[in-house]
Amino acid sequence: VEHDPQQRHAPFPLTDVQHAYWMGRKNLAELGNVATHFYFELDCPQVDLARFNQALRRLIDRHEMLRAIMTDDGLQQILPSVPAFDIVLHDVSGESEAGAEKRVVQLRERMSHEVRPANQWPLFDVQASAMPNGHTRLHLSLDMLILDGWSMFLMFSEWFQLYRSPALSLPALQLSYRDYVIAERKLLEGAAYQRPRAYWMKRIDTLPPAPYLPIVTHA
């Protein structure tokens, strides 16, 4: 993997998994038009929302894929800069417990099923609800086009560190995700990939078909 900072903002290919996610969010198949998406909520008895927001802004500056978009021609691009992200606060503290919960459910239904435009930043959202009991409910929506499970939990870990210690200086990152994807693409051109690919392409016509599985289709 070679670090190429001069090209870090140039468009680059999607990985196979990202490409599948990108195609699946389009309305090209009956079961499409769905984002590969992670949504969850945290109920916080005490949280300094301004400090929490500032920690998130530092993460966006630090991790390039939090500034990434997918282009209309099926590439991805890390934006050099983005607007300052602001966590939207919904104040339902003056409502009854049932009224507040109804508002939270409405927000949950919207955020947990959204398909954000892949060609627009951000491909994530963080909002908050001020609850009647004095707690703050955090609503986090993450598109897996820009994160996987491992990087998501790394992000949460660093987010907590920066919230707990605002003056903390994290180690500088030495590689870009773009560097990794370009290196992976080069591997596909070598014999270590082409040889087994040729073997399986010769056998493809003799392989059994995929199993038939019942599926629930859209109404």
Side-chain angles (χ1 to χ4, degrees):
V1 180
E2 297 179 1
H3 186 37
D4 188 4
Q6 287 74 27
Q7 295 296 317
R8 69 193 317 156
H9 302 304
F12 60 103
L14 302 172
T15 65
D16 288 346
V17 171
Q18 284 178 303
H19 193 266
Y21 291 168
W22 182 69
M23 292 295 293
R25 69 197 296 121
K26 297 175 179 293
N27 196 23
L28 300 176
E30 186 173 10
L31 297 180
N33 204 30
V34 175
T36 306
H37 175 254
F38 188 82
Y39 172 82
F40 69 103
E41 296 175 13
L42 293 173
D43 197 37
C44 306
Q46 294 181 335
V47 63
D48 183 333
L49 198 59
R51 195 166 84 182
F52 191 69
N53 199 150
Q54 186 59 36
L56 175 57
R57 290 180 181 180
R58 289 188 63 189
L59 278 182
I60 294 168
D61 289 340
R62 171 175 170 78
H63 291 288
E64 295 177 336
M65 289 305 289
L66 293 177
R67 306 193 306 274
I69 59 169
M70 310 296 132
T71 65
D72 292 336
D73 53 354
L75 300 173
Q76 57 189 321
Q77 184 175 14
I78 296 163
L79 301 178
S81 62
V82 294
F85 186 89
D86 290 315
I87 297 175
V88 175
L89 176 63
H90 306 271
D91 189 354
V92 296
S93 59
E95 301 195 19
S96 65
E97 186 173 331
E101 189 60 31
K102 181 179 179 180
R103 292 275 300 276
V104 165
V105 168
Q106 290 173 344
L107 181 60
R108 179 185 303 146
E109 286 297 311
R110 179 172 63 81
M111 291 184 66
S112 64
H113 292 80
E114 66 183 349
V115 182
R116 303 181 72 83
N119 62 354
Q120 298 177 26
W121 181 88
L123 281 169
F124 62 88
D125 195 12
V126 182
Q127 300 192 29
S129 297
M131 304 299 288
N133 61 0
H135 291 193
T136 299
R137 182 78 59 86
L138 298 174
H139 310 263
L140 296 98
S141 168
L142 306 172
D143 197 307
M144 304 312 282
L145 272 172
I146 59 170
L147 291 157
D148 60 12
W150 185 272
S151 56
M152 182 173 61
F153 286 109
L154 174 63
M155 169 184 151
F156 293 153
S157 174
E158 292 188 354
W159 198 349
F160 176 71
Q161 292 178 60
L162 293 172
Y163 172 77
R164 185 178 55 184
S165 305
L168 178 67
S169 179
L170 294 171
L173 300 176
Q174 302 300 320
L175 288 174
S176 168
Y177 181 67
R178 185 183 189 278
D179 298 331
Y180 161 76
V181 172
I182 296 300
E184 183 193 45
R185 282 283 170 151
K186 290 180 180 178
L187 288 177
L188 303 184
E189 302 169 2
Y193 175 82
Q194 292 297 331
R195 187 167 51 249
R197 182 182 187 278
Y199 170 82
W200 287 110
M201 290 300 292
K202 288 180 181 178
R203 293 197 53 191
I204 196 167
D205 292 334
T206 64
L207 295 176
Y212 174 77
L213 299 174
I215 59 174
V216 176
T217 60
H218 294 318

